[in-house]
């Protein structure tokens, strides 16, 4: 019987940042733009998610 690992409540799965509305940009060329900040937050989320998955994988011998 194959079971998925039970997530550890002390190590919750990272959640993606909330995407800004398309009309949230003022169009004035801000640096950083709200979408630049979102892109950076998504990069950090993806890295955190990869690390979380690596910590929470089921070892091959336990499948």
């Amino acid at each position: 019987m194959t079971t998925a690992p039970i997530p550890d409540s002390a190590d919750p799965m990272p959640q993606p940042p909330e995407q800004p509305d398309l009309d949230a940009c003022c169009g004035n060329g801000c640096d950083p733009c709200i979408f630049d900040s979102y892109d950076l937050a998504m990069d950090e989320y993806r890295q955190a998610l990869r690390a979380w998955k690596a910590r929470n994988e089921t070892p091959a011998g336990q499948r």
Side-chain angles (χ1 to χ4, degrees):
M1 177 178 198
T2 303
T3 59
I6 299 172
D8 183 357
S9 62
D11 187 18
M13 186 170 123
Q15 298 299 309
E18 188 172 330
Q19 183 175 8
D21 290 332
L22 294 177
D23 60 349
C25 176
C26 66
N28 289 329
C30 299
D31 187 21
C33 174
I34 191 170
F35 292 109
D36 295 333
S37 299
Y38 173 71
D39 288 342
L40 290 173
M42 278 301 296
D43 289 342
E44 292 172 4
Y45 161 72
R46 288 183 191 107
Q47 289 176 358
L49 184 60
R50 277 192 298 273
W52 181 86
K53 285 181 177 181
R55 289 190 306 272
N56 290 283
E57 280 184 344
T58 303
Q62 295 182 5
R63 290 183 190 179

